[in-house]
Amino acid sequence: MPIGILWPTFALVALIFVVFVVMFYQRGRHTRANPPRDSDFATTEAAMRYFEPVEMPANNYRNLFEMPLLYFALVPLLLITRQADHLQIVLAWVYVILRIIHSFIHIGPKVVTWRAAAYALSALVLMAMWIVFFVDMLHAQAVISAAGG
């Protein structure tokens, strides 16, 4: 069923909101424990230094609007073209699970090699999703052309 692609998409959206809440909570806790002075926000660099102890959730939040943008662009294309098949749904779940793992490591244990591996694998899965979509579109075009359309 093509709308099955929406379930991993909902999970990715939920991840983004969870990371936002963690970021908001950690920044709030930081500002209560270390009341800022005007100089802490006088420049972008000063603000970055002020929030540095709690910046991992913010960094991860920004990451969730980089590569996942390609995922969010692909999902409607898969739905519109009716190419959201079982393979794409499985790949979407693998992608989202890897993004969850990446976020957990980024915010939690901060082990760079694990985080890099999760990021790289998620990028490869997303690339596979786009390649499968491209090949499916080539195949669909060939079928239409062969049928005289």
Side-chain angles (χ1 to χ4, degrees), residues 32-82:
R32 283 189 301 282
N34 307 288
R37 300 176 311 270
D38 289 342
S39 62
D40 290 327
F41 294 99
T43 65
T44 302
E45 293 79 20
M48 289 174 66
R49 277 192 307 277
Y50 175 77
F51 281 119
E52 187 175 0
V54 292
E55 268 309 282
M56 284 308 191
N59 290 342
N60 188 256
Y61 186 68
R62 278 189 294 280
N63 284 172
L64 290 169
F65 289 96
E66 293 170 353
M67 191 68 79
L69 178 67
L70 294 173
Y71 173 86
F72 288 123
L74 180 60
V75 169
L77 294 172
L78 290 170
L79 289 169
I80 291 166
T81 60
R82 301 185 188 280

Side-chain angles (χ1 to χ4, degrees), residues 4-102:
I5 196 76
L6 294 178
W7 297 114
T9 305
F10 292 143
L12 186 55
V13 169
L15 172 64
I16 292 168
F17 281 116
V18 166
V19 172
F20 173 78
V21 168
V22 169
M23 176 186 71
F24 192 80
Y25 171 77
Q26 286 191 6
R27 282 184 168 184
R29 193 178 69 199
H30 179 72
T31 55
R32 283 189 301 282
N34 307 288
R37 300 176 311 270
D38 289 342
S39 62
D40 290 327
F41 294 99
T43 65
T44 302
E45 293 79 20
M48 289 174 66
R49 277 192 307 277
Y50 175 77
F51 281 119
E52 187 175 0
V54 292
E55 268 309 282
M56 284 308 191
N59 290 342
N60 188 256
Y61 186 68
R62 278 189 294 280
N63 284 172
L64 290 169
F65 289 96
E66 293 170 353
M67 191 68 79
L69 178 67
L70 294 173
Y71 173 86
F72 288 123
L74 180 60
V75 169
L77 294 172
L78 290 170
L79 289 169
I80 291 166
T81 60
R82 301 185 188 280
Q83 297 299 324
D85 59 11
H86 182 70
L87 175 60
Q88 287 288 19
I89 294 168
V90 169
L91 288 170
W93 274 116
V94 172
Y95 176 73
V96 170
I97 289 166
L98 287 166
R99 291 307 308 204
I100 291 169
I101 291 167
H102 174 265

